[in-house]
């Protein structure tokens, strides 16, 4: 909660007084910490679903985190929402481009506003709340749920925010 308040006051100060390079760097660090916290919570919640289905936990994988983050950031930068990226590439093609090994791969995507009253989620303005919202959305979607409980061993999660506080999520699951 203190971090969120700090971000708010930093943003307010930037608005009123103008931002220095140091403040912008601090905002980036706080944003990175928030994205990491959300990603960790998504992994934990996904593994809780797998456990309830009698399945092994997925292992967090840095390669897959990088791939997932790349896709989330591209959805923000190029203003699209699709498994096919702005270059028309699929999740497997993006993994191949980075020379990641895989025998099977799947991807879940979502977007959720960082807001006080999100339909069927309520207030999503904490890492816990927004992670719960996105994972519950995937759980309630047959295709996304099938991916979460599929025969995968590793998981990567990427989170990126638009300037108007919409979070884009990518979850990449794989077997090597």
């Amino acid at each position: 909660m203190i971090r969120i308040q700090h971000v708010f006051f930093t943003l307010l100060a930037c608005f009123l007084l103008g931002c220095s390079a140091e403040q912008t760097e601090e905002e980036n660090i706080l944003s990175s910490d928030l994205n990491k916290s959300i990603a960790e919570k998504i992994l934990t919640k996904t593994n809780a679903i797998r456990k309830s289905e009698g399945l092994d936990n997925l292992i967090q994988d840095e390669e897959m985190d990088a791939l997932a983050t790349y896709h989330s950031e591209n959805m923000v930068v190029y203003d699209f929402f699709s498994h096919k990226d702005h270059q028309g590439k699929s999740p497997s093609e993006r993994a191949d481009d980075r020379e990641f090994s895989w025998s099977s791969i799947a991807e879940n995507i979502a977007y959720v506003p960082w807001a006080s009253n999100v339909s069927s989620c309520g207030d999503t303005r904490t890492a816990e709340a927004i992670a719960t919202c996105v994972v519950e959305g995937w759980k309630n979607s047959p295709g996304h749920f099938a991916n979460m409980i599929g025969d995968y061993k590793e998981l990567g999660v990427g989170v990126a925010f638009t300037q108007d506080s919409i979070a884009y999520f990518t979850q990449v699951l794989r077997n090597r």
Side-chain angles (χ1 to χ4, degrees):
M1 185 64 171
I2 291 171
R3 251 180 219 210
I4 292 169
Q5 290 173 336
H6 182 75
V7 170
F8 172 76
F9 289 116
T10 300
L11 292 173
L12 181 62
C14 285
F15 177 73
L16 296 174
L17 306 172
C19 290
S20 70
E22 185 176 308
Q23 288 171 320
T24 303
E25 183 177 329
E26 184 176 347
E27 283 178 25
N28 288 340
I29 291 168
L30 291 172
S31 174
S32 176
D33 288 348
L34 175 62
N35 292 357
K36 183 178 178 182
S37 177
I38 294 168
E40 289 169 354
K41 291 177 185 317
I42 288 171
L43 171 65
T44 300
K45 291 173 184 309
T46 301
N47 279 334
I49 290 168
R50 290 179 62 86
K51 183 177 181 178
S52 73
E53 298 289 321
L55 301 168
D56 292 335
N57 281 344
L58 295 167
I59 298 166
Q60 181 270 333
D61 182 84
E62 289 183 17
E63 277 187 345
M64 294 293 98
D65 284 345
L67 184 63
T69 299
Y70 173 76
H71 190 60
S72 290
E73 289 174 351
N74 278 343
M75 287 192 289
V76 168
V77 169
Y78 295 100
D79 192 26
F80 70 93
F81 182 72
S82 176
H83 294 287
K84 293 276 187 180
D85 69 15
H86 63 289
Q87 298 174 320
K89 293 184 179 183
S90 68
S92 59
E93 290 169 321
R94 289 190 297 274
D96 288 346
D97 285 351
R98 291 175 171 241
E99 299 180 0
F100 293 168
S101 61
W102 60 274
S103 62
S104 59
I105 194 165
E107 178 180 84
N108 289 337
I109 59 173
Y111 64 91
V112 175
W114 182 269
S116 62
N117 189 18
V118 175
S119 177
S120 75
C121 290
D123 191 335
T124 60
R125 295 175 296 173
T126 66
E128 179 70 28
I130 204 164
T132 297
C133 181
V134 72
V135 172
E136 284 298 311
W138 286 332
K139 181 181 174 185
N140 293 324
S141 165
H144 294 102
F145 181 70
N147 287 343
M148 291 194 310
I149 64 167
D151 186 22
Y152 299 103
K153 303 292 181 222
E154 299 171 332
L155 176 71
V157 178
V159 181
F161 280 86
T162 65
Q163 288 185 340
D164 56 345
S165 300
I166 307 295
Y168 280 73
F169 303 92
T170 304
Q171 183 181 58
V172 182
L173 305 100
R174 81 165 168 187
N175 272 330
R176 291 185 198 225

